[in-house]
Amino acid sequence: MSERCISKECLSNTGFSYTLSLINGKYKMTILYTLMEFGVVRFNEMKKYIGSISYKTLSATLKELEADQLVDRKEYPQIPPKVEYRLTARGRSLIPILDGMCEWGDSNRIS
């Protein structure tokens, strides 16, 4: 068995790098966690829950997650407009990773 040599490898070709490219960003993991915990969430509910995020940033981040097929957006034709967000099947496949992060944080939190 031959040993791998780091000088011949490239991080950008790994599954880790691809996953990180989808969830990297200040609020992406927070939004995914929110949808994991609460299922279907309306835009303003999410804004209130997260708190520190601006409307513009929340909107842009949700659009990125939707483009990456992690989040589904459903708009209802009514006045005032009603928009709901939920995880797609692809987004739900991240739940074990999010759960693992939650468990690690609960076990390793420094008080």
Side-chain angles (χ1 to χ4, degrees):
M1 179 166 52
S2 64
E3 285 189 35
R4 290 173 59 196
C5 180
I6 194 166
S7 65
K8 296 177 183 174
E9 300 291 333
C10 180
L11 179 65
S12 64
N13 296 331
T14 64
F16 172 80
S17 181
Y18 177 71
T19 304
L20 194 58
S21 75
L22 295 178
I23 62 175
N24 194 23
K26 186 171 181 180
Y27 292 102
K28 284 185 178 181
M29 291 292 290
T30 304
I31 291 169
L32 292 170
Y33 172 80
T34 302
L35 294 171
M36 178 187 83
E37 286 293 306
F38 298 102
V40 177
V41 180
R42 293 177 68 177
F43 185 89
N44 284 331
E45 292 173 331
M46 193 173 310
K47 167 69 175 97
K48 287 177 188 172
Y49 180 71
I50 297 172
S52 60
I53 192 169
S54 71
Y55 288 102
K56 182 178 178 181
T57 300
L58 178 57
S59 179
T61 306
L62 283 165
K63 285 178 184 173
E64 289 175 17
L65 291 168
E66 187 180 5
D68 290 332
Q69 300 175 359
L70 298 175
V71 170
D72 181 54
R73 179 184 190 270
K74 184 170 183 180
E75 187 173 343
Y76 296 90
Q78 65 185 52
I79 298 175
K82 177 182 174 183
V83 179
E84 294 178 338
Y85 295 89
R86 63 184 49 80
L87 292 175
T88 62
R90 188 172 192 220
R92 287 190 302 274
S93 71
L94 287 169
I95 288 176
I97 295 167
L98 297 172
D99 280 339
M101 291 177 69
C102 292
E103 290 170 16
W104 188 92
D106 288 340
S107 298
N108 291 281
R109 183 177 302 163
I110 299 173
S111 300

